[in-house]
Amino acid sequence: FFFFFSIKKIIKMVGVRVLGITGPKKAAKAAPSTGKSARYYPADDVSRPKHSRAKKHNAPKIRATFTPGTVCILLAGRFRGKRVVCLKALDSGLLLVTGPYKINGVPLRRVNQAYAIGTSTKIDVSKVDVSKIDDSYFARVATESADGEEGFFANDAAKPAVVSDQRKADQKKVDAAILKAVDAAPLMKNYLGSKFSLKKHDRPHKLVF
């Protein structure tokens, strides 16, 4: 008797779940069942875009060490370990750098500041005009293959990248202005041509760049 009394008391306190609705008052107001489930469960997870209150996403903040003319050390990519000259920061938050190409083979390219170290060495690049070079300058041009599906699935060797004449002309123009500043500083040409590396007894946390 005590067991059944306890169950009735618990049901009265908690309420009875009817059609997924808790409480007797809400169950009374619920519409009569039509024989179909009132809930819809999609078979796959539907991805929804995340709500953003920002109307415009600003570019990442550039570290104070990256200023025009700063010599940087690349940490990743095909040119890792090489020293380059920072020309400016683009709207996307990437850094526009160059070797110059004539000294160490690094062309005009964009670099993520997370994969670069800014040193205390600087070069005067006030006479270098890079106002026309922005993110759209590095946009890839879509090329359609004339071979079709047979050429796509063929095991041919990778085709080398073709550099446009405009890129070559801009590279020569930028390098010519930077080389004048490099020649004015003693041993700067050798410094940019050398590769950065750590030796056996080097302490990275104690290095001063």
Side-chain angles (χ1 to χ4, degrees), residues 173-209:
K173 182 180 177 182
V174 172
D175 283 2
I178 295 179
L179 287 174
K180 292 181 180 179
V182 171
D183 294 336
L187 300 178
M188 183 58 68
K189 188 173 182 180
N190 296 335
Y191 177 69
L192 292 174
S194 62
K195 211 172 183 181
F196 173 80
S197 61
L198 293 174
K199 297 181 180 179
K200 184 176 181 180
H201 298 289
D202 287 342
R203 303 293 190 272
H205 61 286
K206 291 185 178 180
L207 294 178
V208 178
F209 298 98

Side-chain angles (χ1 to χ4, degrees), residues 88-99:
K88 68 174 183 178
L90 301 174
D91 295 336
S92 61
L94 301 176
L95 303 176
L96 177 64
V97 300
T98 185

